Amino acid sequence: MKLLAGKKAVILGIANERSIAYSIAKLFKDEGAELGLTYVNEALGKRVIPLSEELGAKFVIPMDVTVDGDYENLKKVVEKEFGHVDILIHSLAFANGEDLKKPFIETSREGFAQAMDISAYSLMKLCNTLKDSFSEEASVLAMTYHGSVKIVKNYNLMGVAKAALECITRYLSIDLGERKVRINCISAGPIRTLAASGIPGFRDILKDVEERSPLKRNVTQDDVANTAVYLASRLSSGVTGQVIYVDSGHSQVAL
Ligand code: NAP
Ligand code: 1JT
């Protein structure tokens, strides 16, 4: 029996074939899930719509998490196409390049608010929007990075936003727990994706994981997808409010 047979999964955050969310969608489909996908804007839609066809998605709709009306639309489409939601994947983040390039101390108020809104608050608003659509035993998953709890050079503002995302996950676990719905984060090691491209020093971080992590290799999108299947399935039935690391053990090594 497939682990996600007949489950209805809404997945946000596919930009292209390298996106973590794309590997999750692929593996979910292999495990029997039905997919509903979102993309941010028309430019990305050109890439995501063909991918959604290849994945046999039930629906693919535009959704910008800064736009209130897009949440209402998501709810409407979910009710019409799926009826209910068994799995919600939040795999998106944003901080503007200007703020990421500047010394952290110079972060603008607007840049701070935008990074928090897109990368952290969106998880709360999505859960609130879909709360009456979640099935009993539904599972919500968000992607995070270790720069939330330790200083990682250049991660800066995103580290603050990820700290909020992880904390939001803990508090949401109470509200969702009342409905038997679980919520967890996956903390992924560095992976070369669109979000990671052009980040100064990113190559050095990849090299450090290869040299110093217990597994002596970088993780892949598929490593993350494997844990996503576990967290989305009954195999993780007693797990909620947690941050599960998929990072070759790198975060456990001190020196
Ligand atoms: P990705 O392929 O670039 O995916 C990020 C997605 O977020 C993109 O589709 C992006 O669209 C979307 N997004 C940005 N602003 C949005 C908005 N306003 N509304 C809706 N979606 C929006 O990169 P990824 O590496 O797979 O990232 C997925 C998640 O994994 C993120 O939460 C990231 O922080 C996390 N993560 C990544 C790594 C890594 O090393 N790659 C490590 C740990 C955790 P645009 O391209 O249009 O901005
Ligand atoms: C964003 C970016 C979110 C890069 C991200 C991210 N989550 C993980 N990464 C990859 C990464 C980035 C840095 C890093 C280690 C991993 C780019 C801007 C949009 C949001 O440390 C150097 C900076």
Side-chain angles (χ1 to χ4, degrees):
M1 180 71 164
K2 291 184 173 178
L3 281 164
L4 304 178
K7 294 221 187 242
K8 298 179 192 299
V10 175
I11 302 181
L12 290 83
I14 300 182
N16 57 37
E17 306 87 319
R18 281 156 87 174
S19 298
I20 293 170
Y22 175 68
S23 292
I24 291 176
K26 240 182 354 176
L27 194 58
F28 277 17
K29 183 189 157 67
D30 291 348
E31 288 297 337
E34 253 189 274
L35 308 176
L37 310 178
T38 75
Y39 57 91
V40 198
N41 52 42
E42 292 311 319
L44 278 183
K46 288 210 177 78
R47 274 169 183 270
V48 178
I49 291 167
L51 293 177
S52 76
E53 282 165 10
E54 172 207 314
L55 290 164
K58 187 87 194 291
F59 66 83
V60 54
I61 56 168
M63 163 117 200
D64 179 335
V65 296
T66 63
V67 178
D68 284 349
D70 285 6
Y71 291 83
E72 280 315 304
N73 186 53
L74 176 70
K75 186 178 159 72
K76 213 176 65 198
V77 174
V78 158
E79 280 171 0
K80 176 162 176 277
E81 301 288 342
F82 274 178
H84 69 269
V85 175
D86 299 299
I87 304 166
L88 171 66
I89 304 293
H90 178 288
S91 184
L92 55 93
F94 184 82
N96 79 54
E98 298 250 305
D99 280 301
L100 281 180
K101 272 180 221 126
K102 274 192 248 168
F104 178 63
I105 199 169
E106 291 172 24
T107 303
S108 68
R109 185 195 299 270
E110 294 73 25
F112 184 92
Q114 183 190 32
M116 287 298 229
D117 185 29
I118 297 178
S119 312
Y121 180 73
S122 58
L123 180 65
M124 302 180 62
K125 191 158 173 71
L126 277 165
C127 288
N128 195 33
T129 301
L130 296 177
K131 62 178 187 279
D132 296 324
S133 301
F134 286 133
S135 61
E136 268 219 4
E137 290 156 30
S139 174
V140 180
L141 260 181
M143 298 300 138
T144 188
Y145 178 65
H146 192 51
S148 59
V149 286
K150 293 285 174 188
I151 303 159
V152 176
K153 213 166 132 196
N154 294 327
Y155 203 62
N156 295 358
L157 177 56
M158 269 317 299
V160 178
K162 291 302 190 188
L165 182 79
E166 291 172 19
C167 193
I168 285 168
T169 296
R170 289 187 280 275
Y171 282 100
L172 282 178
S173 72
I174 298 283
D175 293 349
L176 295 176
E178 284 173 15
R179 299 161 187 259
K180 310 262 177 278
V181 174
R182 299 180 295 108
I183 178 164
N184 295 286
C185 286
I186 293 180
S187 187
I191 301 174
R192 221 181 259 292
T193 62
L194 192 61
S197 69
I199 302 287
F202 192 74
R203 216 182 323 151
D204 301 334
I205 295 178
L206 288 172
K207 190 162 152 261
D208 194 64
V209 174
E210 224 170 80
E211 288 172 355
R212 297 195 317 116
S213 69
L215 293 183
K216 296 281 181 289
R217 67 167 179 88
N218 276 287
V219 296
T220 64
Q221 289 88 335
D222 290 341
D223 290 314
V224 176
N226 286 334
T227 291
V229 169
Y230 154 72
L231 286 172
S233 78
R234 62 188 146 69
L235 293 184
S236 58
S237 52
V239 182
T240 195
Q242 297 293 341
V243 179
I244 310 283
Y245 276 72
V246 179
D247 71 339
S248 292
H250 189 253
S251 57
Q252 294 293 10
V253 177
L255 284 172

